[in-house]
Amino acid sequence: IPVSFTKNGTNYTALFESTVSMPLGVYNLIINSQDNLGYNSTGNLTFTLVRGYTITLSLDPAASKISEDVTLHGIVRKDDGSVVNDSFVSIQYLGNTSNVSLDAAGSFAFPFIAPEEEGDYELSATYTDPDGVIVMQSIILTAVKPKPVPEDNGGGDTRGKSSSSSRIGFAGSTAP
């Protein structure tokens, strides 16, 4: 496995670059080091390489009015881009949790009603694979009050509006 190191003061960080073709499982890393005086040290580290996943989320509408119908859309993919379609995601929203099945394309849609109060609300989707790997993605819903509708003050355009009053007009002569 290719490894790159970075140094920050006396701390070293190692980055192990893997590809999707690497076998998943347990790896044992043996670290040998030598200081400036020639003293050697050896350490062991065991780690598990697991599959990665991505969850992509969107809201329709992106910003909603309070108490409006909203749908959380999402898709779950494996790190190699392949579809995850054999399971479900847990949706955490407004203090509630619901499980939603993934369709054949790895997608889901979760309709709900926006909160009654203005504000920003976090929604999240969590996927757990058969090996217990957990991935979560969040999105913010912004709920706003609807803009007030201007009152009709009697003037202006009346197309499409009905009126409850009528006038009868008469023009001409009444002479015999």
Side-chain angles (χ1 to χ4, degrees), residues 31-49:
I31 303 169
N32 295 309
S33 63
Q34 186 177 56
D35 66 16
N36 292 337
L37 300 174
Y39 293 104
N40 294 313
S41 181
T42 301
N44 292 317
L45 173 68
T46 301
F47 66 95
T48 304
L49 182 61

Side-chain angles (χ1 to χ4, degrees), residues 60-80:
D60 182 26
S64 73
K65 296 176 182 68
I66 58 175
S67 301
E68 180 180 45
D69 290 340
V70 182
T71 301
L72 173 65
H73 296 276
I75 188 166
V76 181
R77 295 273 191 234
K78 295 178 183 174
D79 55 4
D80 63 1

Side-chain angles (χ1 to χ4, degrees), residues 9-157:
T10 59
N11 295 320
Y12 291 86
T13 302
L15 175 64
F16 304 94
E17 296 184 30
S18 65
T19 64
V20 293
S21 62
M22 290 183 64
L24 303 179
V26 177
Y27 287 81
N28 189 22
L29 178 66
I30 301 170
I31 303 169
N32 295 309
S33 63
Q34 186 177 56
D35 66 16
N36 292 337
L37 300 174
Y39 293 104
N40 294 313
S41 181
T42 301
N44 292 317
L45 173 68
T46 301
F47 66 95
T48 304
L49 182 61
V50 297
R51 180 170 305 285
Y53 296 90
T54 59
I55 301 175
T56 305
L57 300 176
S58 65
L59 290 166
D60 182 26
S64 73
K65 296 176 182 68
I66 58 175
S67 301
E68 180 180 45
D69 290 340
V70 182
T71 301
L72 173 65
H73 296 276
I75 188 166
V76 181
R77 295 273 191 234
K78 295 178 183 174
D79 55 4
D80 63 1
S82 62
V83 173
V84 173
N85 60 5
D86 59 349
S87 195
F88 63 91
V89 291
S90 293
I91 307 297
Q92 294 80 38
Y93 67 105
L94 312 175
N96 300 301
T97 300
S98 290
N99 291 331
V100 179
S101 295
L102 299 174
D103 65 17
S107 300
F108 65 89
F110 177 71
F112 64 98
I113 297 174
E116 295 178 359
E117 299 290 326
E118 281 190 304
D120 290 336
Y121 298 87
E122 182 177 30
L123 296 100
S124 62
T126 304
Y127 171 72
T128 303
D129 84 351
D131 295 320
V133 175
I134 298 171
V135 64
M136 184 186 80
Q137 183 64 44
S138 296
I139 192 168
I140 300 296
L141 168 71
T142 300
V144 296
K145 287 183 183 175
K147 293 182 180 178
V149 176
E151 290 186 26
D152 185 6
N153 59 6
D157 187 4

Side-chain angles (χ1 to χ4, degrees), residues 149-172:
V149 176
E151 290 186 26
D152 185 6
N153 59 6
D157 187 4
T158 59
R159 289 177 286 179
K161 298 179 183 175
S162 64
S163 173
S164 61
S165 65
S166 62
R167 293 185 179 173
I168 300 175
F170 178 77

